[in-house]
Amino acid sequence: MITELLPNINDLMTIILRGVAIGSLFTIIAMSFNIVHNAAGIFNFAQGNIFILGGFAAYVLANDAGFGMWALMLILATVVIGVLAAVQGWITLLPLRSSVEQDSWLISTVSVSVIIASGLMLVYGSSGNFVQGPMPRFTLFGVRTPGAFLLAIGAMFAWYVVLRFFLRRTFTGLAISALSQDFDAARAAGIPVRRLQLLAFGISGMIAGSVGFMVAPMISVSPDAGLRYVLNGFVAAVVGGVGNNSGAMIGGPLVGVIAALTTFYLGGAYQDLSSLLVLVVILMFLPQGLFGRASARKV
């Protein structure tokens, strides 16, 4: 009976590959969450739709384009979306004397997410859009698989390395990391706190927007798709430990593989439910996440 429930080796490898590829997108969202959270102490719940905005940029600027034009448009979209994210950060943090004293950021980030989705729906409609990218499909265990799957996994590792170097080897990155320890001490030391927070928002937009552009052929480029990615990205961040990119590298693929197994056995309608169950279990038994650390709090 148990043997009948287990997938064969080909199905299992396909499930794992697809789960890791989708999970890498959750890791990307989690890392974009982390840099903003470390710099400003908040979660930017617009990240899912910023990610989808990158997909729409690919649809408009580079659908079925050659590699050269695709790469050029990728750079353009990354910069523009990064600037837009920085502007969103300025609006979000504007009413806050300190970014953790009030909860207006929750309303403003969700509002921006709704505005992005509504604007895309007004312009492009509610249906999904297909994007043809420069990466050819390949065959794995007899299953035709989008080349963007490998691009997604590669982008996850690339952004992880870039962020690790930036946050640990550059003065600006170290200053952003210092903000996660103590805002008041950082401000007293002469660190331009608000400027670094806006930079963190911009970097988070570049991360999500660039990867959304790159993997547009493997995702649903539709206005309502952002909710799924922000939900699973948040779960990946919590599973790995909020603020910990190394943990996100584990949490994202783990959530992705669980979602792929859920789809295989129960159907795609239960994917998000499985992610929420993972979140509940982690919060019950490991509230700091797999790699998170308990932090002191002023009382």
Side-chain angles (χ1 to χ4, degrees), residues 47-103:
Q47 289 298 143
N49 278 329
I50 290 174
F51 172 78
I52 293 300
L53 193 60
F56 272 96
Y59 173 71
V60 174
L61 300 175
N63 194 5
D64 205 19
F67 181 80
M69 178 59 69
W70 178 86
L72 183 62
M73 292 299 102
L74 168 62
I75 295 171
L76 175 63
T78 300
V79 173
V80 171
I81 294 175
V83 171
L84 291 176
V87 172
Q88 182 229 333
W90 179 76
I91 295 172
T92 299
L93 299 177
L94 185 62
L96 307 183
R97 296 187 301 276
S98 170
S99 56
V100 294
E101 286 181 356
Q102 305 172 39
D103 293 329

Side-chain angles (χ1 to χ4, degrees), residues 195-210:
R195 191 183 309 166
L196 291 176
Q197 290 172 338
L198 297 183
L199 176 62
F201 267 89
I203 293 173
S204 73
M206 293 174 68
I207 294 170
S210 65

Side-chain angles (χ1 to χ4, degrees), residues 129-200:
N129 300 280
F130 177 76
V131 179
Q132 181 66 44
M135 293 289 290
R137 289 178 173 266
F138 63 95
T139 301
L140 179 70
F141 300 108
V143 178
R144 294 286 291 171
T145 304
F149 275 36
L150 296 182
L151 200 58
I153 297 172
M156 174 183 68
F157 283 105
W159 270 117
Y160 173 79
V161 171
V162 169
L163 284 175
R164 186 178 180 87
F165 176 83
F166 173 71
L167 294 173
R168 296 193 178 194
R169 301 294 181 182
T170 68
F171 177 79
T172 302
L174 290 170
I176 289 177
S177 298
L179 297 182
S180 65
Q181 304 299 319
D182 193 318
F183 291 117
D184 294 331
R187 189 176 288 110
I191 294 176
V193 173
R194 188 65 83 215
R195 191 183 309 166
L196 291 176
Q197 290 172 338
L198 297 183
L199 176 62

Side-chain angles (χ1 to χ4, degrees), residues 33 43 45 228 230-242 251 254-256 258-259 271-290:
F33 269 133
F43 292 105
F45 288 110
R228 181 196 177 201
V230 74
L231 167 65
N232 287 282
F234 180 73
V235 173
V238 172
V239 169
V242 174
L254 177 62
V255 173
I258 291 174
Q271 285 187 43
D272 293 340
L273 176 60
S274 68
S275 298
L276 290 174
L277 290 176
V278 170
L279 178 63
V280 170
V281 171
I282 288 294
L283 291 178
M284 286 178 61
F285 297 103
L286 292 170
Q288 305 301 327
L290 297 177

